[in-house]
Amino acid sequence: MLKNKIALITGASRGIGEAIAIEFAKNNADVIINYYNDQEEAQKVVDKVKKYGVESMAVKADVSNFNEVKQMVEEIQKKFKRVDILVNNAGIVKDRTLKNITLEEWHAVINTNLNGVFYVTKVVLPLIGEGGRIINISSIVGQYGNFGQCNYAAAKAGIIGFTKSLAKELGKKKITVNAIAPGFVKTGITKNIPFLRKKIINYMTPLKEGAEPKDIANLVTFLASEKSRYITGSVINIDGGLAF
Ligand code: NAP
């Protein structure tokens, strides 16, 4: 579905980002893997992606650092010239109730999860031509809130407003901008949720289990493809029915 497309995925060294990278490669896209800390894991993803006969490279940048983002995009421009699909996926959690949260924990999450989306999109946008795709990974927490996640919820809600506004700005160029809102996905970011809490989440989920990263990747692949050409400014929930 993505032949001759060039995709940049932020935070693709593991979890949902890795699954998207592999699904894109299976669909014949060249895939640029952004990471921050884990070069070894990012390189492993590049090797997996290349097995599908497409181009790939890993590029290090902290998405919350505008200068690092600019350097990353210069590197990408030198090798690939353009970007057709941008997936803003990099994200972190620093969970704490508002009573106990530190300024550092608040700013870390806002800077990575929200400012990071702005920085990367701002710098990559000149490389995205007609028919391009921007897909932002929000969360149902941005719509419904969650205990101990004021920072994360604010960032993920911010992504939704950002997505809808940018969709209005870029429609005339036929560039679509959408967000997806996953519920519980089995990745590193959720591994520290206590066993009992996970059981409760599964019980409350009509489909009775968390998502596999591949489930999320399948939706993102559809949104990245020509098949989604008439969808823009949307937030698509993918949560096994947990929130509706
Ligand atoms: P994950 O397994 O913890 O992976 C996070 C990825 O983000 C890693 O590749 C990490 O790279 C990268 N990253 C973190 N900080 C970064 C930064 N400052 N700059 C660049 N990359 C950075 O998490 P995940 O579950 O796959 O989450 C991916 C996205 O889905 C996040 O935006 C998350 O909020 C969202 N989401 C997840 C769930 C869920 O249940 N898992 C639900 C809803 C939404 P390094 O390892 O190299 O640092």
Side-chain angles (χ1 to χ4, degrees):
M1 290 207 284
L2 306 176
K3 203 167 169 50
N4 298 325
K5 301 291 183 193
I6 299 164
L8 166 62
I9 307 164
T10 66
S13 56
R14 56 196 153 90
I16 292 171
E18 174 182 6
I20 296 168
I22 289 167
E23 212 47 46
F24 278 11
K26 279 186 193 166
N27 283 276
N28 297 112
D30 294 335
V31 191
I32 303 151
I33 307 295
N34 157 256
Y35 69 98
Y36 178 25
N37 295 298
D38 207 334
Q39 194 198 349
E40 207 178 308
E41 286 305 306
Q43 192 51 48
K44 280 187 201 162
V45 178
V46 167
D47 295 341
K48 284 184 201 169
V49 158
K50 281 186 168 170
K51 286 196 176 129
Y52 293 95
V54 298
E55 285 289 315
S56 184
M57 76 169 181
V59 273
K60 180 177 163 70
D62 172 1
V63 295
S64 72
N65 181 319
F66 190 59
N67 285 329
E68 286 189 26
V69 170
K70 279 203 295 195
Q71 280 168 16
M72 169 179 78
V73 176
E74 277 168 21
E75 208 181 315
I76 291 168
Q77 191 171 11
K78 266 188 213 146
K79 186 165 162 66
F80 288 92
K81 308 281 185 278
R82 59 171 220 278
V83 170
D84 304 302
I85 302 158
L86 167 62
V87 183
N88 283 306
N89 167 76
I92 57 168
V93 287
K94 291 204 183 289
D95 296 352
R96 192 95 60 191
T97 58
L98 194 76
K99 183 166 168 266
N100 296 318
I101 196 168
T102 63
L103 291 185
E104 199 181 28
E105 287 163 341
W106 172 268
H107 287 304
V109 170
I110 298 294
N111 285 339
T112 301
N113 296 12
L114 182 58
N115 291 341
V117 173
F118 163 61
Y119 295 156
V120 175
T121 309
K122 169 117 182 115
V123 182
V124 173
L125 189 57
L127 304 189
I128 302 180
E130 190 154 313
R133 299 277 184 269
I134 299 171
I135 301 145
N136 299 321
I137 311 300
S138 179
S139 165
I140 57 165
V141 172
Q143 300 166 319
Y144 296 91
N146 199 19
F147 187 94
Q149 289 200 309
C150 283
N151 51 358
Y152 185 81
K156 293 299 185 182
I159 286 178
I160 292 173
F162 176 86
T163 299
K164 290 178 178 295
S165 300
L166 191 60
K168 289 187 173 166
E169 293 179 17
L170 299 182
K172 58 182 178 297
K173 285 182 146 179
K174 304 287 184 207
I175 297 171
T176 67
V177 190
N178 292 293
I180 67 158
F184 179 83
V185 190
K186 296 174 211 163
T187 67
I189 219 171
T190 51
K191 77 170 185 296
N192 291 329
I193 295 178
F195 177 74
L196 197 59
R197 186 128 184 244
K198 277 185 193 159
K199 283 205 97 159
I200 294 168
I201 294 170
N202 286 346
Y203 175 76
M204 287 164 61
T205 303
L207 290 179
K208 301 295 172 207
E209 59 176 344
E212 298 296 337
K214 192 176 187 306
D215 296 318
I216 311 303
N218 286 335
L219 173 59
V220 175
T221 303
F222 167 72
L223 287 173
S225 77
E226 176 58 23
K227 289 181 192 293
S228 70
R229 63 173 283 276
Y230 205 61
I231 303 172
T232 197
S234 288
V235 183
I236 301 179
N237 287 32
I238 172 159
D239 61 0
L242 180 58
F244 61 76

